[in-house]
Amino acid sequence: MNVLSKMIREPLLHFLLLGGGVFLLFGMTTAGTIEKPNQIVVSQGQLELLSANFASTWQRSPSNEEMQDLIDKYLRDEVYYREALALGLDEDDTVIRRRLRQKLGIILEDTAALLDPDDQELAAYMNEHAESFRIQPEVSFRQVYLSFEKRRDVNADASAILERLKSGQDPELQGDPIMLADRYALVSQNEIKQRFGKGFAQQLLAVAPGEWAGPLTSGFGGHLVLITEIKPARMPELAEVKQKVKNEWLLLRTEELKLSTYRKLLENYEVVMPEYLGSLDITSVDLASNETAHTDAQSGKELR
């Protein structure tokens, strides 16, 4: 049972099953329309596709004249395509090779998109990558800004202003002007970093709520702060971030499928390379991030 379960979860098996289904469907839909050499068959399905593509662009069905023009363009594309293949124009063409590789990659991505993880799998993934889904602390605070450039002794001025603030004087009448807001409501740690800098964010989260404190320093200068509300960091329930977890799970499984398929397919080939590269483990290449093809330095042929 464990072996069977492992086989069922094998990404390459999903790809092969889907591929087999596609070829079977293609065989069923093209039955009776197999083309002879130098014969171009314009099927009813192809005509409907041409008409549908036109309608999606122009929001109406094509006229008879427009339909004839669509057919003419289709025939020209087909004739040019076949003649180009006959002349071998597809051989040793880097652009065509890259495009074919991209199309196979799209097939693998579509295959992975069919995977449907249950909540147990998603919860396990979320726990394994907890930092990606942890909700950051959020803080509501007020600030009074003190300019390093305008004040000779910011610390001394801060002490005096703190006394006035603690005695109930209006914060808006204290400090120096700055383009930043003087009030922030439940902003995340990242938002604070973006506005004030990483150091200020760390200092702010260490301040006890309910009383004016400081000065805290940022790239702008000094800041007296009053935290009025704080929500600590927490791990969300799966339901709160389920779509995000599923998206990241699918992304990971897609990359695994691509790499697994590549390694399986590579087993069908004999790779020849210069002796000094013989120890290179080419199966460890990450196809998702490395688009560089390894080339045989002697023959000039791509190894993959």
Side-chain angles (χ1 to χ4, degrees), residues 49-93:
L49 181 59
L50 292 173
S51 179
N53 288 339
F54 181 95
S56 67
T57 300
W58 300 102
Q59 304 302 309
R60 62 176 177 83
S61 299
S63 65
N64 289 340
E65 183 178 350
E66 289 168 333
M67 193 66 199
Q68 183 60 55
D69 186 51
L70 292 173
I71 295 173
D72 288 342
K73 289 180 179 178
Y74 171 77
L75 291 175
R76 178 177 295 190
D77 285 348
E78 189 65 22
V79 169
Y80 277 27
Y81 170 70
R82 294 189 185 194
E83 291 301 317
L85 289 181
L87 292 172
L89 299 183
D90 60 316
E91 298 177 4
D92 298 322
D93 189 307

Side-chain angles (χ1 to χ4, degrees), residues 39 90 105 144 242 260:
Q39 180 186 61
D90 60 316
V144 170
K242 184 173 182 179
S260 174

Side-chain angles (χ1 to χ4, degrees), residues 11-12 101 105-106 108-113 115 125 247-263 283-291:
L12 183 60
R101 172 176 170 171
I106 291 172
L108 294 174
E109 290 171 3
D110 290 344
T111 302
L115 300 177
Y125 180 85
N247 290 343
E248 293 196 14
W249 184 93
L250 285 173
L251 181 62
L252 177 62
R253 295 297 174 260
T254 298
E255 301 312 321
E256 289 177 347
L257 173 61
K258 286 182 178 180
L259 187 57
S260 174
T261 302
Y262 162 63
R263 288 175 172 170
T283 62
S284 67
V285 175
D286 181 355
L287 296 185
S289 60
N290 189 344
E291 295 295 326

